[in-house]
Amino acid sequence: MDKLTSQQRSKCMSRIRSADTKPELIVRRWLWSRGYRYRKNCRRLPGTPDIVLRRYGAAIFVHGCFWHGHESHLRLPKTNVEFWEKKIARNRERDEQNKAKLREMGWSVLTVWECQLRPPVRHATLMEIESFLNRSFLARHGDVKKVRSYSYGEEVVPMAAEPEE
Ligand SMILES: [Zn+2]
């Protein structure tokens, strides 16, 4: 028997919807809406990057601030401090190694932190991601003819367009 009241049920549904606002989904949806195509969770590459744009030579990690130990505001739980310290230090070390490997393989690597996708700073972060992709594209292809200009409000941001096929 379904014992949920309609209020409980809508609470339940909103929880499901909020799962769609996970940090990497924010980035993926935005990239998709801007016309970028990507692979997700690319297991063949070191560290399984969350988003890979092959033509741009770009790998993006969207990191949770706690598990990946975002330095600027890391706060450990008050119990088992040593355990958490070790665990997070290990995660960070592994992240660094994976990113170094990717760079050696010729990829441009970007880390986006969960806290950088909170509404007040989200737009700036997404613009930063696009600028990273443009730089990465140019570093890889180095062809000025492929650069178009897109304007955001008053500001003109150069954008690397993918070649037409
Ligand atoms: Zn953070």
Side-chain angles (χ1 to χ4, degrees):
M1 203 172 90
D2 189 354
K3 283 182 180 166
L4 292 176
T5 65
S6 67
Q7 205 181 3
Q8 282 169 327
R9 194 173 299 116
S10 80
K11 221 178 194 177
C12 208
M13 294 306 290
S14 75
R15 207 168 295 138
I16 291 165
R17 269 197 300 276
S18 78
D20 289 345
T21 61
K22 273 168 59 184
E24 61 264 40
L25 285 176
I26 295 171
V27 179
R28 282 187 195 134
R29 282 204 181 133
W30 182 80
L31 286 175
W32 187 267
S33 75
R34 298 282 298 150
Y36 293 96
R37 297 299 176 254
Y38 50 80
R39 279 170 199 279
K40 49 188 184 178
N41 306 325
C42 202
R43 285 194 187 78
R44 286 158 132 192
L45 294 177
T48 312
D50 296 297
I51 300 167
V52 172
L53 297 97
R54 191 171 287 278
R55 277 199 193 164
Y56 290 78
I60 300 174
F61 292 93
V62 184
H63 278 346
C65 293
F66 179 74
W67 288 107
H68 295 270
H70 194 192
E71 245 171 19
S72 56
H73 61 90
L74 183 60
R75 241 184 261 148
L76 292 169
K78 293 206 169 70
T79 52
N80 295 323
V81 175
E82 206 181 324
F83 167 81
W84 289 112
E85 257 171 14
K86 272 191 191 153
K87 179 156 190 66
I88 289 166
R90 239 189 346 256
N91 288 348
R92 274 168 55 168
E93 201 176 307
R94 204 171 38 216
D95 289 340
E96 284 317 306
Q97 284 165 358
N98 287 328
K99 286 168 201 174
K101 272 186 220 155
L102 282 166
R103 290 193 177 103
E104 273 166 33
M105 291 163 72
W107 292 88
S108 301
V109 184
L110 181 72
T111 303
V112 180
W113 294 96
E114 181 186 5
C115 62
Q116 296 169 332
L117 292 165
R118 300 224 167 97
V121 291
R122 185 181 295 170
H123 183 72
T125 300
L126 295 174
M127 292 298 105
E128 192 47 52
I129 294 172
E130 187 152 48
S131 147
F132 158 78
L133 290 176
N134 295 336
R135 288 194 305 273
S136 172
F137 185 91
L138 288 175
R140 175 164 270 216
H141 302 279
D143 187 346
V144 210
K145 281 181 219 148
K146 288 171 186 159
V147 182
R148 282 192 274 154
S149 281
Y150 283 72
S151 58
Y152 295 105
E154 314 216 75
E155 183 191 9
V156 175
V157 180
M159 176 169 168
E162 295 199 346
E164 282 171 32
E165 282 167 304

